[in-house]
Coordinates of all heavy atoms in Angstrom, one line a residue:
M773 N 28.5 45.7 -20.1 CA 28.4 44.4 -19.5 C 29.4 44.2 -18.4 O 30.5 44.7 -18.5 CB 28.7 43.3 -20.6 CG 27.6 43.3 -21.6 SD 27.9 42.0 -22.9 CE 27.8 40.5 -21.9
S774 N 29.0 43.6 -17.4 CA 29.9 43.3 -16.3 C 30.4 41.9 -16.3 O 29.7 41.0 -16.7 CB 29.1 43.5 -14.9 OG 28.1 42.6 -14.8
E775 N 31.6 41.7 -16.1 CA 32.3 40.4 -16.1 C 32.3 39.8 -14.8 O 33.3 39.0 -14.5 CB 33.7 40.5 -16.7 CG 33.6 41.0 -18.2 CD 35.0 41.0 -18.7 OE1 35.9 40.5 -18.1 OE2 35.2 41.6 -19.9
N776 N 31.4 40.1 -14.0 CA 31.4 39.5 -12.6 C 30.6 38.2 -12.6 O 29.4 38.1 -12.6 CB 30.7 40.5 -11.6 CG 30.8 40.0 -10.2 OD1 31.5 39.1 -9.9 ND2 30.1 40.6 -9.3
E777 N 31.4 37.1 -12.8 CA 30.7 35.8 -12.8 C 31.0 34.9 -11.6 O 31.3 33.8 -11.6 CB 31.3 35.0 -14.0 CG 31.0 35.7 -15.4 CD 31.4 34.9 -16.5 OE1 32.0 33.8 -16.3 OE2 31.4 35.4 -17.7
S778 N 30.8 35.6 -10.5 CA 31.1 34.9 -9.2 C 29.8 34.5 -8.5 O 29.7 34.5 -7.3 CB 31.9 35.8 -8.3 OG 31.2 37.0 -8.0
G779 N 28.8 34.3 -9.3 CA 27.5 33.9 -8.7 C 27.3 32.4 -8.7 O 27.9 31.7 -9.5
D780 N 26.5 32.0 -7.8 CA 26.3 30.6 -7.6 C 25.1 30.1 -8.5 O 25.1 28.9 -8.9 CB 26.0 30.2 -6.2 CG 27.2 30.2 -5.3 OD1 28.2 29.4 -5.7 OD2 27.2 30.9 -4.3
G781 N 24.3 31.0 -8.8 CA 23.1 30.5 -9.6 C 23.3 30.6 -11.1 O 22.4 30.1 -11.8
G782 N 24.4 31.0 -11.6 CA 24.7 31.1 -13.0 C 24.9 29.7 -13.6 O 25.2 28.7 -12.9
A783 N 24.8 29.6 -14.9 CA 25.1 28.4 -15.5 C 26.6 28.2 -15.8 O 27.2 29.0 -16.4 CB 24.4 28.3 -16.9
P784 N 27.1 27.2 -15.2 CA 28.6 27.0 -15.4 C 28.9 26.6 -16.8 O 28.3 25.7 -17.4 CB 28.9 25.8 -14.4 CG 27.6 25.1 -14.2 CD 26.5 26.2 -14.4
R785 N 30.0 27.2 -17.3 CA 30.3 26.9 -18.7 C 31.3 25.7 -18.7 O 31.4 25.0 -19.7 CB 31.0 28.1 -19.3 CG 30.0 29.3 -19.4 CD 30.7 30.4 -20.1 NE 31.1 30.2 -21.5 CZ 31.7 31.0 -22.3 NH1 32.1 32.2 -21.8 NH2 31.9 30.7 -23.5
Q786 N 31.9 25.5 -17.6 CA 32.9 24.3 -17.6 C 32.2 23.1 -17.1 O 31.3 23.1 -16.2 CB 34.0 24.6 -16.6 CG 35.0 25.6 -17.2 CD 36.2 25.8 -16.3 OE1 36.1 25.6 -15.1 NE2 37.3 26.2 -16.8
F787 N 32.5 22.0 -17.7 CA 31.9 20.7 -17.3 C 32.8 20.0 -16.4 O 34.0 19.8 -16.6 CB 31.7 19.8 -18.6 CG 31.4 18.4 -18.2 CD1 30.1 18.1 -17.7 CD2 32.3 17.4 -18.4 CE1 29.7 16.8 -17.4 CE2 31.9 16.1 -18.1 CZ 30.7 15.8 -17.6
T788 N 32.2 19.7 -15.2 CA 33.0 19.0 -14.2 C 32.5 17.5 -14.2 O 31.3 17.3 -13.8 CB 32.8 19.6 -12.8 OG1 31.4 19.7 -12.6 CG2 33.4 21.0 -12.8
P789 N 33.4 16.6 -14.5 CA 33.0 15.2 -14.5 C 32.6 14.7 -13.1 O 33.2 15.0 -12.1 CB 34.3 14.5 -14.9 CG 35.1 15.5 -15.5 CD 34.8 16.8 -14.9
R790 N 31.5 14.0 -13.0 CA 31.0 13.5 -11.8 C 30.7 12.0 -12.0 O 30.5 11.5 -13.1 CB 29.7 14.2 -11.4 CG 29.9 15.6 -11.0 CD 28.6 16.2 -10.5 NE 28.8 17.6 -10.2 CZ 27.8 18.4 -9.8 NH1 26.6 18.0 -9.8 NH2 28.0 19.7 -9.5
P791 N 30.8 11.2 -10.9 CA 30.5 9.8 -11.0 C 29.1 9.6 -11.5 O 28.1 10.2 -11.1 CB 30.6 9.3 -9.5 CG 31.5 10.3 -8.9 CD 31.2 11.6 -9.6
C792 N 29.0 8.7 -12.5 CA 27.7 8.3 -13.1 C 26.8 7.7 -12.0 O 27.2 6.8 -11.3 CB 27.9 7.3 -14.2 SG 26.4 6.7 -14.9
P793 N 25.6 8.1 -11.9 CA 24.7 7.6 -10.9 C 24.3 6.1 -11.1 O 23.7 5.4 -10.3 CB 23.4 8.5 -11.0 CG 23.5 9.1 -12.3 CD 25.0 9.2 -12.7
I794 N 24.6 5.6 -12.3 CA 24.2 4.3 -12.7 C 25.4 3.3 -12.4 O 25.2 2.3 -11.7 CB 23.8 4.2 -14.1 CG1 22.7 5.1 -14.4 CG2 23.4 2.7 -14.5 CD1 21.4 4.9 -13.6
C795 N 26.5 3.6 -13.0 CA 27.6 2.7 -12.9 C 28.9 3.3 -12.2 O 29.9 2.7 -12.0 CB 28.0 2.2 -14.3 SG 28.8 3.5 -15.3
A796 N 28.7 4.5 -11.7 CA 29.8 5.2 -10.9 C 31.0 5.5 -11.7 O 32.1 5.9 -11.2 CB 30.1 4.3 -9.7
K797 N 30.9 5.4 -13.0 CA 32.1 5.8 -13.8 C 32.0 7.4 -14.0 O 31.0 8.0 -13.7 CB 32.0 5.2 -15.2 CG 32.4 3.7 -15.2 CD 32.4 3.2 -16.6 CE 32.7 1.7 -16.6 NZ 32.7 1.1 -18.0
M798 N 33.1 8.0 -14.5 CA 33.1 9.4 -14.7 C 32.2 9.8 -15.9 O 32.2 9.2 -16.9 CB 34.5 9.9 -15.0 CG 35.3 10.1 -13.7 SD 34.5 11.3 -12.6 CE 35.0 10.6 -11.0
S799 N 31.4 10.7 -15.6 CA 30.4 11.1 -16.6 C 31.1 12.0 -17.7 O 32.1 12.6 -17.5 CB 29.3 12.0 -16.0 OG 29.8 13.1 -15.4
V800 N 30.4 12.0 -18.9 CA 30.9 12.8 -20.0 C 29.9 14.0 -20.2 O 28.8 13.9 -19.8 CB 31.1 12.0 -21.2 CG1 32.1 10.9 -21.0 CG2 29.7 11.4 -21.6
E801 N 30.4 15.0 -20.8 CA 29.6 16.2 -21.0 C 28.4 15.9 -21.9 O 27.3 16.5 -21.7 CB 30.4 17.3 -21.6 CG 29.7 18.6 -21.6 CD 30.6 19.7 -22.1 OE1 31.7 19.5 -22.5 OE2 30.1 20.9 -22.1
R802 N 28.6 15.1 -22.8 CA 27.5 14.8 -23.8 C 26.3 14.1 -23.1 O 25.1 14.4 -23.4 CB 28.0 14.0 -24.9 CG 27.0 13.8 -26.0 CD 27.6 13.0 -27.2 NE 26.6 12.8 -28.3 CZ 26.9 12.2 -29.4 NH1 28.1 11.8 -29.6 NH2 26.0 12.1 -30.3
Y803 N 26.6 13.2 -22.2 CA 25.5 12.5 -21.6 C 25.4 12.7 -20.1 O 24.9 11.9 -19.4 CB 25.7 10.9 -21.8 CG 25.8 10.6 -23.2 CD1 27.0 10.1 -23.8 CD2 24.7 10.6 -24.0 CE1 27.1 9.8 -25.1 CE2 24.7 10.3 -25.4 CZ 25.9 9.9 -25.9 OH 25.9 9.5 -27.2
R804 N 25.9 13.9 -19.7 CA 25.8 14.1 -18.3 C 24.4 14.1 -17.8 O 23.5 14.5 -18.5 CB 26.5 15.5 -18.0 CG 25.8 16.6 -18.7 CD 26.4 17.9 -18.4 NE 25.8 19.0 -19.2 CZ 26.2 20.3 -19.1 NH1 27.2 20.6 -18.3 NH2 25.6 21.2 -19.8
P805 N 24.2 13.7 -16.5 CA 25.2 13.4 -15.6 C 25.6 11.9 -15.7 O 26.2 11.3 -14.7 CB 24.5 13.6 -14.2 CG 23.1 13.2 -14.5 CD 22.8 13.7 -15.9
F806 N 25.4 11.3 -16.8 CA 25.7 9.9 -17.0 C 27.0 9.8 -17.8 O 27.5 10.8 -18.4 CB 24.6 9.2 -17.7 CG 23.3 9.4 -17.0 CD1 22.4 10.3 -17.6 CD2 22.9 8.7 -15.9 CE1 21.1 10.5 -16.9 CE2 21.7 9.0 -15.3 CZ 20.8 9.8 -15.8
C807 N 27.5 8.6 -17.8 CA 28.8 8.4 -18.5 C 28.6 8.0 -20.0 O 29.5 8.1 -20.8 CB 29.6 7.2 -17.8 SG 28.9 5.6 -18.1
S808 N 27.4 7.5 -20.3 CA 27.1 7.1 -21.7 C 25.6 7.1 -21.9 O 24.8 7.2 -21.0 CB 27.7 5.7 -21.9 OG 27.0 4.8 -21.1
K809 N 25.2 7.0 -23.2 CA 23.8 7.0 -23.5 C 23.1 5.8 -22.9 O 22.0 5.8 -22.6 CB 23.6 6.9 -25.0 CG 22.2 7.1 -25.4 CD 22.1 7.1 -26.9 CE 20.6 7.3 -27.4 NZ 19.7 6.3 -26.8
R810 N 23.9 4.7 -22.8 CA 23.3 3.5 -22.2 C 22.9 3.7 -20.8 O 21.8 3.3 -20.4 CB 24.4 2.4 -22.2 CG 23.9 1.0 -21.7 CD 25.0 0.0 -21.7 NE 24.6 -1.2 -21.1 CZ 25.4 -2.2 -21.0 NH1 26.7 -2.2 -21.3 NH2 25.0 -3.4 -20.4
C811 N 23.7 4.4 -20.0 CA 23.3 4.6 -18.6 C 22.2 5.6 -18.5 O 21.3 5.5 -17.7 CB 24.5 5.2 -17.8 SG 25.7 3.9 -17.4
A812 N 22.1 6.6 -19.5 CA 21.0 7.5 -19.5 C 19.7 6.7 -19.8 O 18.7 7.0 -19.2 CB 21.3 8.5 -20.6
D813 N 19.8 5.7 -20.7 CA 18.6 5.0 -21.0 C 18.2 4.1 -19.8 O 17.0 3.9 -19.5 CB 18.9 4.0 -22.2 CG 18.9 4.8 -23.5 OD1 18.4 6.0 -23.5 OD2 19.5 4.3 -24.5
V814 N 19.2 3.6 -19.1 CA 18.8 2.8 -17.9 C 18.1 3.7 -16.9 O 17.1 3.2 -16.3 CB 20.1 2.3 -17.3 CG1 19.8 1.6 -15.9 CG2 20.7 1.2 -18.2
D815 N 18.5 4.9 -16.7 CA 17.9 5.8 -15.7 C 16.5 6.1 -16.2 O 15.5 6.2 -15.4 CB 18.7 7.1 -15.6 CG 18.1 7.9 -14.5 OD1 18.2 7.6 -13.3 OD2 17.5 8.9 -14.8
L816 N 16.3 6.3 -17.5 CA 15.0 6.6 -18.1 C 14.1 5.4 -17.9 O 12.9 5.6 -17.5 CB 15.2 6.9 -19.6 CG 13.9 7.5 -20.2 CD1 13.7 8.9 -19.7 CD2 14.1 7.5 -21.7
Q817 N 14.6 4.2 -18.0 CA 13.8 3.0 -17.8 C 13.3 2.9 -16.4 O 12.2 2.5 -16.1 CB 14.5 1.8 -18.3 CG 14.7 1.6 -19.7 CD 13.4 1.4 -20.4 OE1 12.5 0.7 -19.9 NE2 13.2 2.0 -21.6
R818 N 14.2 3.3 -15.5 CA 13.9 3.2 -14.1 C 12.7 4.2 -13.8 O 11.8 3.9 -13.0 CB 15.1 3.6 -13.2 CG 16.1 2.5 -13.2 CD 17.2 2.9 -12.2 NE 18.3 1.9 -12.1 CZ 19.3 2.0 -11.3 NH1 19.5 3.0 -10.6 NH2 20.2 1.0 -11.3
W819 N 12.8 5.3 -14.4 CA 11.7 6.3 -14.2 C 10.4 5.8 -14.7 O 9.3 5.8 -14.0 CB 12.0 7.6 -14.9 CG 12.8 8.6 -14.1 CD1 14.1 8.8 -14.1 CD2 12.2 9.4 -13.1 NE1 14.4 9.7 -13.1 CE2 13.3 10.1 -12.5 CE3 10.9 9.7 -12.6 CZ2 13.1 11.1 -11.5 CZ3 10.7 10.6 -11.6 CH2 11.8 11.3 -11.0
F820 N 10.4 5.2 -15.9 CA 9.2 4.7 -16.5 C 8.6 3.5 -15.7 O 7.4 3.5 -15.3 CB 9.4 4.2 -17.9 CG 9.3 5.4 -18.9 CD1 10.3 5.8 -19.6 CD2 8.0 6.0 -19.1 CE1 10.2 6.8 -20.5 CE2 7.9 7.0 -19.9 CZ 9.0 7.5 -20.7
T821 N 9.5 2.6 -15.3 CA 9.0 1.4 -14.6 C 8.6 1.7 -13.2 O 7.8 1.1 -12.6 CB 10.1 0.3 -14.6 OG1 11.3 0.9 -14.1 CG2 10.3 -0.2 -16.0
G822 N 9.2 2.8 -12.7 CA 8.9 3.1 -11.3 C 7.6 4.0 -11.1 O 6.8 3.7 -10.2
S823 N 7.4 4.9 -12.1 CA 6.3 5.8 -12.0 C 5.1 5.2 -12.6 O 4.0 5.4 -12.2 CB 6.7 7.1 -12.6 OG 7.8 7.7 -12.0
Y824 N 5.3 4.5 -13.7 CA 4.1 4.0 -14.5 C 4.1 2.5 -14.4 O 4.2 1.8 -15.4 CB 4.2 4.5 -15.9 CG 4.1 6.0 -16.0 CD1 5.2 6.8 -16.1 CD2 2.9 6.6 -16.1 CE1 5.1 8.2 -16.2 CE2 2.7 7.9 -16.2 CZ 3.9 8.7 -16.2 OH 3.8 10.1 -16.3
A825 N 3.9 2.0 -13.2 CA 3.8 0.6 -13.1 C 2.4 0.1 -13.3 O 2.1 -1.1 -13.3 CB 4.3 0.2 -11.7
V826 N 1.5 1.0 -13.6 CA 0.1 0.7 -13.8 C -0.1 0.3 -15.2 O 0.4 1.1 -16.1 CB -0.8 1.9 -13.4 CG1 -2.3 1.5 -13.6 CG2 -0.5 2.3 -12.0
P827 N -0.7 -0.8 -15.6 CA -1.0 -1.1 -17.0 C -1.9 -0.1 -17.6 O -2.7 0.5 -17.0 CB -1.6 -2.5 -16.8 CG -2.1 -2.6 -15.4 CD -1.2 -1.7 -14.6
V828 N -1.7 0.0 -19.0 CA -2.5 1.0 -19.7 C -3.9 0.4 -20.0 O -4.2 0.3 -21.2 CB -1.8 1.4 -20.9 CG1 -1.0 2.7 -20.6 CG2 -0.8 0.4 -21.4
V829 N -4.6 0.0 -19.1 CA -6.0 -0.4 -19.3 C -7.0 0.5 -18.6 O -7.1 0.6 -17.4 CB -6.2 -1.8 -18.7 CG1 -7.6 -2.3 -19.0 CG2 -5.2 -2.8 -19.4
E830 N -7.7 1.2 -19.5 CA -8.7 2.2 -18.9 C -10.1 1.6 -19.0 O -10.5 0.9 -19.9 CB -8.6 3.5 -19.7 CG -7.3 4.2 -19.5 CD -7.3 5.5 -20.2 OE1 -8.4 6.0 -20.6 OE2 -6.2 6.2 -20.3
E831 N -10.9 1.9 -18.0 CA -12.3 1.5 -18.0 C -13.2 2.5 -18.7 O -13.2 3.7 -18.4 CB -12.8 1.4 -16.6 CG -11.9 0.3 -15.8 CD -12.5 0.1 -14.4 OE1 -13.7 0.2 -14.2 OE2 -11.6 -0.1 -13.5
D832 N -13.9 2.0 -19.7 CA -14.7 2.9 -20.5 C -16.0 3.2 -19.8 O -16.6 4.3 -20.0 CB -15.0 2.3 -21.9 CG -13.8 2.5 -22.8 OD1 -13.0 3.5 -22.6 OD2 -13.7 1.7 -23.7
R833 N -16.5 2.3 -19.0 CA -17.8 2.5 -18.4 C -17.6 3.4 -17.2 O -16.6 3.5 -16.5 CB -18.3 1.2 -17.8 CG -17.3 0.5 -16.9 CD -17.8 -0.8 -16.4 NE -16.9 -1.4 -15.4 CZ -17.1 -2.6 -14.9 NH1 -18.2 -3.3 -15.2 NH2 -16.2 -3.1 -14.0
S834 N -18.6 4.2 -17.0 CA -18.6 5.2 -15.9 C -19.3 4.6 -14.7 O -20.3 3.9 -14.8 CB -19.2 6.5 -16.3 OG -20.5 6.2 -16.7
P835 N -18.8 4.8 -13.5 CA -19.4 4.3 -12.3 C -20.8 4.8 -12.1 O -21.6 4.2 -11.3 CB -18.5 4.8 -11.2 CG -17.7 5.9 -11.8 CD -17.6 5.6 -13.2
D836 N -21.2 5.9 -12.7 CA -22.5 6.5 -12.5 C -23.6 5.6 -13.1 O -24.7 5.5 -12.6 CB -22.6 7.9 -13.1 CG -21.8 8.9 -12.2 OD1 -21.6 8.6 -11.1 OD2 -21.4 10.0 -12.7
D837 N -23.2 5.0 -14.2 CA -24.2 4.1 -14.9 C -24.6 2.9 -14.0 O -25.7 2.4 -14.0 CB -23.7 3.7 -16.3 CG -23.8 4.8 -17.2 OD1 -24.5 5.8 -16.9 OD2 -23.0 4.8 -18.2
D838 N -23.6 2.4 -13.4 CA -23.8 1.2 -12.5 C -24.7 1.6 -11.4 O -25.4 0.7 -10.8 CB -22.4 0.7 -12.0 CG -21.8 -0.2 -12.9 OD1 -22.4 -0.5 -14.0 OD2 -20.7 -0.7 -12.7
D839 N -24.7 2.8 -11.0 CA -25.6 3.2 -9.8 C -27.1 3.0 -10.1 O -27.9 2.8 -9.3 CB -25.3 4.6 -9.5 CG -24.7 4.7 -8.1 OD1 -24.6 3.7 -7.4 OD2 -24.4 5.8 -7.7
E840 N -27.4 3.2 -11.4 CA -28.9 3.1 -11.8 C -29.4 1.7 -11.6 O -30.6 1.5 -11.5 CB -29.1 3.6 -13.2 CG -28.8 5.1 -13.3 CD -29.1 5.6 -14.7 OE1 -29.9 5.0 -15.4 OE2 -28.6 6.7 -15.1
R841 N -28.5 0.7 -11.7 CA -29.0 -0.7 -11.6 C -29.4 -1.0 -10.2 O -30.1 -2.0 -10.0 CB -27.9 -1.6 -12.1 CG -27.6 -1.5 -13.6 CD -26.5 -2.4 -14.0 NE -26.8 -3.8 -13.6 CZ -25.9 -4.8 -13.6 NH1 -24.6 -4.5 -14.0 NH2 -26.2 -6.0 -13.2
F842 N -29.0 -0.2 -9.3 CA -29.2 -0.6 -7.9 C -30.6 -0.4 -7.5 O -31.2 0.6 -7.7 CB -28.2 0.3 -7.0 CG -28.0 -0.4 -5.7 CD1 -28.3 -1.7 -5.5 CD2 -27.4 0.3 -4.7 CE1 -28.1 -2.3 -4.3 CE2 -27.2 -0.3 -3.4 CZ -27.6 -1.6 -3.2
Ligands
LIG1204 ZN1 27.4 5.0 -16.3

């Protein structure tokens, strides 16, 4: 085994605190890149509300059936 760990693509074993993207506090290793579970949840909610703004109402009827009435 080689102990050459000077690569950039490797997984860093050390945790470097970074500002939380939600509240700008220092993040913790457990909830990184957030400072707490609360901020992680906030980010998750943003994803859901942002990506899935469409209500969960699906149309069962197919547009092909409507064509026959014409
Ligand atoms: Zn935070």
Side-chain angles (χ1 to χ4, degrees):
M773 291 180 68
S774 62
E775 297 184 9
N776 187 11
E777 298 182 4
S778 60
D780 281 306
R785 298 181 65 182
Q786 284 185 337
F787 170 72
T788 52
R790 291 181 181 178
C792 174
I794 305 299
C795 68
K797 287 183 181 179
M798 278 300 148
S799 61
V800 295
E801 186 174 7
R802 185 175 180 178
Y803 300 111
R804 60 180 176 179
F806 308 102
C807 70
S808 62
K809 187 180 184 299
R810 182 182 175 185
C811 283
D813 286 342
V814 170
D815 185 73
L816 192 66
Q817 287 294 323
R818 286 186 181 182
W819 269 99
F820 273 117
T821 55
S823 302
Y824 295 94
V826 182
V828 262
V829 178
E830 294 186 9
E831 298 181 36
D832 281 334
R833 59 182 181 181
S834 58
D836 285 340
D837 286 342
D838 273 358
D839 243 359
E840 290 186 20
R841 292 178 56 192
F842 202 15

